[in-house]
Amino acid sequence: MPHEYSSSEEDVAFSRLIGKRRSIRGYLAATLYILAGTLLTTPLRGVLDLSNVALLYVLAVVLNGVRYGRGVAIFAAVFGSLVFAYVFVPPHFSLAITEIQYLLSAVIMLVVALLVGHVTANLRSHSEVVEAQAAQNKALYEFARQLTATRSSEAVLETSLRFLERNFAARHAHLIGPEQVHSAANALADAALIQASRERRQLLTRPTAVAANVVALLPLLTAESGHGVICFEVAASQLETQSQREFLETVGSLIAVALERTHYAEVAQEVELRHAAATLRNTILSSLSHDMRTPLTALVGTADTLMLAPMLPPEKQHALLSGLREQAQSIFQFVNNLLDMARLQSGGVELNLAWQPIEEVVGVTLQQIKSIAEARQIGLSIDPDLPPVLIDAVLIERALWNLLENAIKYSPADSPVELAIRRLGDELDIAVGDRGEGLPTENVEALFGLFQRGHAESSVPGAGLGLAIVKNIAEAHHGRLTANRRKGGGSCFHLRLPLGQAPCLALEDEA
Amino acid sequence: MSEPERILLIEDDKRIREFVSSALEAEGYRVFEAGTAGWGASEAARHKPHLVMLDLGLPDRDGSEFIRDFRGWSTVPILIVSARADEKGKVEALDSGADDYLTKPFGVPELLARVRALLRRAPVQRLESNPIIEFGDFIIDCVGRTVSKAGQPIKLSQIEYRLLLAMAGNPGRVLTHRQLLVQVWGGQAADNHEYLRVYVGHLRQKIEIHPAQPRHILTEIGIGYRFQP
């Protein structure tokens, strides 16, 4: 497929062409300069001393030499001395040089030209090296910066391959991992070459069928361990000089360091995840063993009592039976919470959003809460004319229920529980307040975590899931949950939901 | 004493069948049991029950499918008993023609109340035979198209009236959003739940004492509304 490589060949030809054009321009400029200078000074021939005129030619040599390099300088010197001899040195308009001093000045001009040309050529190649190094440093700096932004090995690799493609016009670049040395032998590289590159810890190249191209094997090595070799095809001119190869090797070690960093970061993250999972498992287990065993023990015990003592007076029996039901109900609630939490945490909940009047949800919640509120009065205050909110009514009802249940559970049976709903700026504020013993003084936020309870081993049944569920639901609605201590005792939880722009409904009211 | 009312219980869990049928029998109903949808269909054809209690998750087929087939030849009320927590399954079953649902776990008093309400309900005959619907202090006169509370007329818009009639004509029954929209607005409005909510809100303002804590028009969240006389 020779056409595939044509682009770089064109590049090379093009740069050569540019070089040629540049030197042609130099010769032309030198010729013009000398001819113009000669024409200008010819009328003054009688006035000017010959040595001054000769200095003008020296100036031409120096200027063109600095500008266009050694070749042009020599050309200017030779051409200049010829013109000088022809026009100015008597006999005029002849090349016969009669006086030895003029011959000397021609020789001096040539020497000056050689010196100037040499010095400028050195300077130029020096500055080209410096420029190339600056460009390399800039590219390396950019590359290093891109690498620091990567978070995974895949991203490092992608960034690296992209860098090689852009800066070296590398093709077919790919990574051969440490374990794939043998299996990865392919059209580009064989196993022995890959192995050699790894062992010698240096960049190796191999010619390809296309003469202008080579296959390069760049080992990625750090002090710790090898990460493999990057294999790619590249134009041979890209790896001609020692500095180009060193540059590529520096790139290789940058990639290796980045890979090592992401590798350890991934390991650390995995360890952390495993640790978090283990902690969660332990909390679930201890919570299960406390919060499930208690009601289950009561359940089994009550059922046994009823079976073993059939002669119990009816009112005693009734009390035991209603206890049985209550315990079962609390287990049901617990399992429900666990399932809800699992669903919310797994992200498996699709919000069923609709514009709802909040009163509708409140009404349902108050209806539902009756079963546990018993005689508790729940004070309700709703701002009139609240706009509808975009919510998943079922989830918000669940959140509201949890907040009310909490308030009822954690406050004395004769104290009031209040539910207040109002508009606060562009948010809807649903506040549930109680007159219980209040929140812990520090780290209130921790209460919203999974399996967090205000008081561990509290006699109030629960597993510390309720508030975590509310928080999850609030966040799913781009809202938030906050809590504060109330003046005069007790606590108040605020569920804040963003109020959007409700759609206008064209109501056809034909009263 | 007339013949006891017959209830068909289609439920695959034996323990639930046991306690439900003993609770129903203790109330004087006659109960037939079935463990699968196929078995239930043949029992229904044989015994002509007055009420069907149906579990949605049956081993041989989905409860909603059973309802669609059953509605092809019977208008007997169906009470869904479901362990499914998501509303979608319930709405589907109700849309296919079920009348009410209970979510597991449920208490026996609640079960009996629902059964009684469904057996009492015969909305079609009622509207044909008696054009007056009464609940609380309210009287709806279906001929004069008027609603009054304690003798005082209440002003309702056309849509509010149709909505109230649709609900009050089916006391105790859960009506899904879709069912109400189709009945009140016609088929093309079946997805405009917002309209329905707004009109239910208006209606509550006019007939409820505390619109935020309604006594008659109850919200079945995520599903629809239930009218409680």
Side-chain angles (χ1 to χ4, degrees):
Chain A
M1 304 168 281
H3 61 275
E4 216 180 274
Y5 305 123
S6 63
S7 71
S8 86
E9 278 167 13
E10 269 169 20
D11 280 354
V12 173
F14 184 65
S15 66
R16 273 191 206 133
L17 200 66
I18 296 225
K20 219 181 255 174
R21 277 206 193 135
R22 196 180 137 115
S23 63
I24 288 175
R25 200 153 10 108
Y27 290 109
L28 265 175
T31 313
L32 282 176
Y33 189 96
I34 289 167
L35 289 180
T38 309
L39 280 176
L40 279 176
T41 40
T42 313
L44 307 171
R45 205 162 49 184
V47 192
L48 288 173
D49 190 88
L50 269 184
S51 56
N52 290 340
V53 177
L55 278 177
L56 281 175
Y57 285 93
V58 173
L59 186 63
V61 169
V62 173
L63 283 178
N64 282 292
V66 169
R67 187 99 199 267
Y68 299 106
R70 196 187 328 221
V72 176
I74 292 169
F75 168 76
V78 172
F79 185 57
S81 24
L82 285 176
V83 172
F84 177 64
Y86 188 71
V87 177
F88 290 96
V89 179
H92 298 311
F93 305 112
S94 123
L95 279 174
I97 294 170
T98 48
E99 285 192 49
I100 190 79
Q101 53 174 325
Y102 299 127
L103 194 66
L104 185 67
S105 58
V107 171
I108 288 172
M109 249 160 73
L110 201 63
V111 172
V112 167
L114 284 171
L115 278 173
V116 167
H118 179 71
V119 169
T120 52
N122 265 356
L123 262 179
R124 174 160 309 119
S125 72
H126 208 79
S127 80
E128 267 168 13
V129 167
V130 169
E131 265 170 35
Q133 267 178 354
Q136 282 185 353
N137 284 342
K138 190 161 175 274
L140 267 184
Y141 170 72
E142 268 302 311
F143 181 47
R145 232 180 39 158
Q146 283 170 8
L147 282 181
T148 48
T150 52
R151 291 273 166 273
S152 67
S153 313
E154 289 77 27
V156 169
L157 200 62
E158 203 204 302
T159 308
S160 310
L161 297 182
R162 210 159 4 100
F163 177 81
L164 288 174
E165 276 157 20
R166 215 179 31 234
N167 287 271
F168 291 88
R171 280 182 301 272
H172 315 305
H174 62 279
L175 175 79
I176 300 170
E179 65 290 339
Q180 326 168 268
V181 171
H182 294 283
S183 59
N186 55 30
L188 284 184
D190 51 59
L193 193 66
I194 299 169
Q195 198 59 43
S197 151
R198 280 167 59 80
E199 273 163 15
R200 283 155 68 181
R201 303 172 73 90
Q202 67 179 40
L203 176 72
L204 290 185
T205 56
R206 182 177 70 84
T208 60
V210 181
N213 286 344
V214 291
V215 168
L217 289 166
L218 178 63
L220 306 177
L221 296 164
T222 55
E224 282 294 309
S225 61
H227 286 285
V229 177
I230 287 186
C231 174
F232 56 96
E233 196 177 319
V234 69
S237 60
Q238 292 281 8
L239 297 178
E240 254 168 8
T241 65
Q242 185 57 30
S243 94
Q244 281 169 326
R245 299 176 75 94
E246 276 170 8
F247 175 55
L248 197 55
E249 278 175 345
T250 314
V251 168
S253 49
L254 262 182
I255 298 173
V257 169
L259 278 177
E260 198 152 82
R261 171 177 63 76
T262 53
H263 171 71
Y264 284 121
E266 277 157 21
V267 168
Q269 198 184 13
E270 205 175 298
V271 168
E272 202 175 302
L273 268 180
R274 220 177 304 142
H275 180 71
T279 316
L280 188 61
R281 220 183 92 226
N282 286 340
T283 31
I284 291 177
L285 284 178
S286 67
S287 147
L288 273 179
S289 64
H290 178 255
D291 295 295
M292 283 288 256
R293 264 171 215 239
T294 315
L296 279 174
T297 310
L299 211 65
V300 172
T302 316
D304 283 348
T305 313
L306 281 166
M307 272 200 299
L308 295 174
M311 295 308 167
L312 280 175
E315 64 276 9
K316 189 101 187 162
Q317 259 189 30
H318 186 262
L320 285 175
L321 284 169
S322 77
L324 206 73
R325 193 178 192 286
E326 230 165 69
Q327 299 293 349
Q329 202 65 40
S330 91
I331 294 172
F332 168 67
Q333 199 52 50
F334 176 76
V335 171
N336 244 1
N337 273 344
L338 264 185
L339 290 177
D340 275 353
M341 203 59 228
R343 237 158 37 104
L344 285 169
Q345 292 263 299
S346 69
V349 175
E350 227 174 82
L351 291 191
N352 188 9
L353 294 177
W355 291 99
Q356 307 253 16
I358 194 69
E359 293 92 334
E360 189 145 298
V361 181
V362 170
V364 174
T365 316
L366 292 176
Q367 187 78 23
Q368 304 274 348
I369 205 81
K370 269 186 198 158
S371 62
I372 59 159
E374 289 157 8
R376 286 293 270 282
Q377 281 301 313
I378 298 175
L380 173 67
S381 88
I382 302 185
D383 269 4
D385 302 322
L386 284 175
V389 267
L390 187 64
I391 50 173
D392 183 321
V394 177
L395 289 183
I396 294 296
E397 190 262 325
R398 187 100 196 85
L400 211 47
W401 194 96
N402 279 355
L403 289 179
L404 284 174
E405 191 214 17
N406 253 10
I408 291 168
K409 269 192 346 192
Y410 293 102
S411 62
D414 53 354
S415 67
V417 168
E418 287 138 44
L419 173 62
I421 300 170
R422 60 200 165 130
R423 185 184 186 140
L424 270 185
D426 50 4
E427 282 182 319
L428 187 72
D429 175 58
I430 303 174
V432 177
D434 63 49
R435 292 291 175 193
E437 63 183 273
L439 300 160
T441 34
E442 55 199 50
N443 211 1
V444 172
E445 284 284 312
L447 274 180
F448 304 156
L450 272 182
F451 298 103
Q452 293 293 328
R453 304 195 62 187
H455 306 276
E457 301 278 316
S458 159
S459 64
V460 181
L465 279 167
L467 289 176
I469 291 174
V470 180
K471 180 169 175 263
N472 268 272
I473 292 175
E475 281 167 3
H477 284 85
H478 306 292
R480 59 210 163 92
L481 176 66
T482 59
N484 56 276
R485 299 166 76 85
R486 285 176 89 186
K487 236 184 244 163
S491 52
C492 189
F493 288 85
H494 295 268
L495 174 62
R496 301 263 170 91
L497 298 171
L499 282 172
Q501 194 63 52
C504 273
L505 294 178
L507 300 178
E508 68 258 50
D509 229 354
E510 64 302 31
Chain B
M1 186 84 192
S2 61
E3 205 187 315
E5 284 170 300
R6 296 182 296 277
I7 296 176
L8 172 59
L9 171 61
I10 310 175
E11 158 72 60
D12 58 337
D13 188 283
K14 198 158 166 287
R15 263 167 310 179
I16 293 181
R17 278 213 308 270
E18 263 170 22
F19 99 77
V20 171
S21 56
S22 39
L24 291 173
E25 274 160 4
E27 284 292 297
Y29 299 110
R30 192 151 168 229
V31 182
F32 302 98
E33 293 179 22
T36 63
W39 178 6
S42 64
E43 289 286 296
R46 190 141 53 103
H47 299 292
K48 302 273 184 317
H50 296 94
L51 173 83
V52 175
M53 272 185 76
L54 176 72
D55 180 16
L56 279 185
L58 289 168
D60 55 342
R61 57 207 278 236
D62 194 80
S64 300
E65 253 179 81
F66 174 88
I67 296 169
R68 263 191 293 275
D69 290 353
F70 186 70
R71 276 287 170 258
W73 57 274
S74 174
T75 55
V76 160
I78 299 174
L79 173 61
I80 296 164
V81 180
S82 166
R84 288 182 199 175
D86 68 317
E87 305 75 46
K88 236 174 108 191
K90 289 181 212 156
V91 169
E92 202 191 325
L94 290 163
D95 275 341
S96 17
D99 298 78
D100 197 357
Y101 68 87
L102 269 175
T103 306
K104 291 174 187 172
F106 51 84
V108 173
E110 194 183 359
L111 165 73
L112 294 175
R114 296 286 168 85
V115 167
R116 277 196 298 271
L118 286 178
L119 284 172
R120 234 186 357 245
R121 185 184 75 79
V124 184
Q125 294 97 315
R126 182 177 189 158
L127 283 182
E128 277 169 0
S129 59
N130 182 5
I132 302 290
I133 298 173
E134 288 179 58
F135 63 93
D137 296 348
F138 294 86
I139 295 172
I140 307 175
D141 177 354
C142 301
V143 176
R145 298 174 73 83
T146 58
V147 180
S148 62
K149 183 190 182 191
Q152 296 295 310
I154 293 177
K155 243 183 133 166
L156 294 183
S157 75
Q158 284 297 317
I159 286 180
E160 285 162 5
Y161 174 77
R162 285 211 294 271
L163 190 60
L164 178 61
L165 199 63
M167 293 204 244
N170 291 286
R173 181 180 170 193
V174 176
L175 294 163
T176 65
H177 296 120
R178 170 178 281 272
Q179 283 169 342
L180 282 170
L181 282 161
V182 170
Q183 204 170 330
V184 176
W185 277 271
Q188 75 282 0
D191 288 321
N192 282 333
H193 293 195
E194 272 91 24
Y195 274 104
L196 183 58
R197 289 201 186 91
V198 170
Y199 280 101
V200 168
H202 292 173
L203 198 51
R204 278 187 179 142
Q205 293 290 340
K206 292 185 182 176
I207 68 167
E208 299 282 3
I209 300 167
H210 304 292
Q213 286 171 284
R215 215 185 93 42
H216 299 296
I217 303 174
L218 307 182
T219 303
E220 291 290 327
I221 206 140
I223 292 173
Y225 297 94
R226 178 201 300 278
F227 187 84
Q228 187 172 276

